């Protein structure tokens, strides 16, 4: 059997990673969280006190970074990353790192390399439109900003953050705007992607509608 490539794109908080992880387990294929790669670079820049708006400095960091996935975990320079890339500080800076073309080239190379070696499901913003235009299956998950904000709010409260729901929705909308309007490989639904609105749906319902479209 040829490698299977499944692309799951959509805006922040649409449920992509939750759904992609479950599908990966069900189909026994690898899961690649491409957003985690941009988060890893952002995290490294912040750790090194690099000004995120200084593109040359960010590119230098990205060029000197090794990113790898093993057992569905992301490794930054051989060190496994977990919650440190999910902080609000990283979330609020990552879109400005992800809009840098040279950074994207480097990340996309890693993504394509993994996808050519293994059967994978990748979640991101540009997987179906740019990274794997010939993916076997393409899904585009959406939900209203309020629903996405609420999901993120619950996640952050569970992690012990004191947050305000309106600010969270605002941050999400801001991130969507930067991701959708960047010049290179923006967040966009590929023409041949199947759109699924996850608003008001529970995880099982969304998993079922994705699985029902996949024939293997
Ligand atoms: O999915 P996420 O929230 O972890 O993504 C973090 C950021 O990375 C988000 O602002 C968009 C960006 N991103 C991207 O530009 N391209 C991808 N393939 C994945 C994420």
């Amino acid at each position: 059997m040829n490698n299977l490539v499944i692309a799951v794109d959509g805006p922040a908080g649409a449920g992509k990673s939750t759904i992609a992880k479950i599908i990966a387990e069900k189909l026994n294929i690898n899961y690649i969280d491409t957003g985690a790669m941009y988060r890893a670079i952002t995290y490294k820049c912040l750790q090194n006190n690099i000004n995120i708006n200084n593109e040359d400095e960010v590119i230098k960091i990205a060029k000197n970074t090794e990113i790898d996935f093993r057992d569905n975990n992301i490794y930054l320079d051989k060190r496994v990353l977990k919650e440190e890339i999910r902080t609000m500080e990283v979330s609020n800076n990552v879109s400005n790192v992800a809009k840098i073309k040279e950074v994207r080239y480097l990340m996309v190379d890693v993504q394509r390399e993994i996808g050519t070696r293994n059967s994978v499901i990748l979640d991101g913003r540009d997987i179906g439109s740019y990274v794997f235009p010939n993916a076997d299956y393409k899904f585009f998950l959406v939900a209203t900003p309020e629903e996405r904000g609420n999901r993120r709010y619950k996640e952050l409260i569970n992690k012990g953050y004191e947050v305000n729901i309106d600010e969270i929705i605002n941050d999400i909308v801001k991130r969507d705007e930067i991701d959708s309007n960047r010049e290179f490989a923006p967040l966009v639904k590929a023409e041949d992607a199947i759109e699924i609105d996850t608003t008001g749906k529970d995880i099982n319902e969304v998993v079922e509608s994705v699985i029902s479209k996949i024939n293997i």
Side-chain angles (χ1 to χ4, degrees):
M1 185 179 96
N2 281 337
N3 288 337
L4 176 73
V5 176
I6 304 175
V8 182
D9 292 300
K16 303 181 299 293
S17 62
T18 309
I19 301 304
K21 252 183 247 170
I22 298 174
I23 307 276
E25 248 175 58
K26 279 189 187 276
L27 301 181
N28 197 20
I29 60 176
N30 291 293
Y31 163 58
I32 306 294
D33 174 355
T34 65
M37 301 171 76
Y38 297 98
R39 287 176 179 271
I41 302 293
T42 308
Y43 171 74
K44 188 169 172 181
C45 289
L46 294 170
Q47 288 284 301
N48 288 283
N49 292 319
I50 300 294
N51 176 356
I52 300 288
N53 296 315
N54 184 338
E55 292 202 356
D56 290 340
E57 287 292 312
V58 176
I59 293 167
K60 211 193 290 170
I61 290 274
K63 281 189 176 156
N64 288 302
T65 298
E66 189 192 321
I67 290 198
D68 201 9
F69 280 91
R70 258 175 292 139
D71 305 326
N72 296 341
N73 284 311
I74 184 165
Y75 286 77
L76 170 72
D77 300 325
K78 305 208 182 321
R79 189 166 80 85
V80 70
L81 291 177
K82 296 280 184 189
E83 284 304 305
E84 58 270 54
I85 56 168
R86 313 271 161 210
T87 61
M88 288 184 75
E89 196 190 11
V90 171
S91 297
N92 290 338
N93 283 288
V94 62
S95 288
N96 285 320
V97 169
K99 74 179 183 197
I100 305 172
K101 186 164 144 185
E102 289 79 358
V103 172
R104 303 197 69 80
Y105 279 148
L106 293 163
M107 300 303 114
V108 168
D109 276 351
V110 178
Q111 293 157 20
R112 287 187 178 147
E113 215 264 319
I114 297 171
T116 355
R117 267 192 289 126
N118 312 281
S119 286
V120 282
I121 180 163
L122 306 98
D123 87 68
R125 304 291 189 287
D126 60 339
I127 307 303
S129 60
Y130 177 74
V131 184
F132 287 105
N134 298 320
D136 300 280
Y137 296 97
K138 298 180 186 179
F139 297 95
F140 196 79
L141 303 191
V142 296
T144 60
E146 290 70 25
E147 171 108 3
R148 296 187 285 127
N150 260 316
R151 290 176 188 164
R152 183 87 188 117
Y153 176 76
K154 283 184 196 150
E155 240 176 72
L156 290 168
I157 293 283
N158 281 335
K159 283 185 196 168
Y161 279 105
E162 272 185 33
V163 281
N164 169 296
I165 182 72
D166 293 331
E167 271 174 33
I168 298 287
I169 296 177
N170 237 340
D171 288 347
I172 282 198
V173 171
K174 232 189 274 168
R175 208 133 67 87
D176 287 353
E177 252 169 46
I178 305 176
D179 294 339
S180 309
N181 293 315
R182 69 175 171 237
E183 232 167 83
F184 182 67
L187 161 65
V188 65
K189 176 179 170 295
E191 254 175 42
D192 51 350
I194 300 168
E195 182 167 319
I196 298 176
D197 188 344
T198 70
T199 310
K201 291 203 178 105
D202 68 23
I203 295 170
N204 281 341
E205 281 176 83
V206 182
V207 169
E208 278 315 307
S209 38
V210 170
I211 285 283
S212 70
K213 305 283 189 304
I214 299 176
N215 297 303
I216 53 168

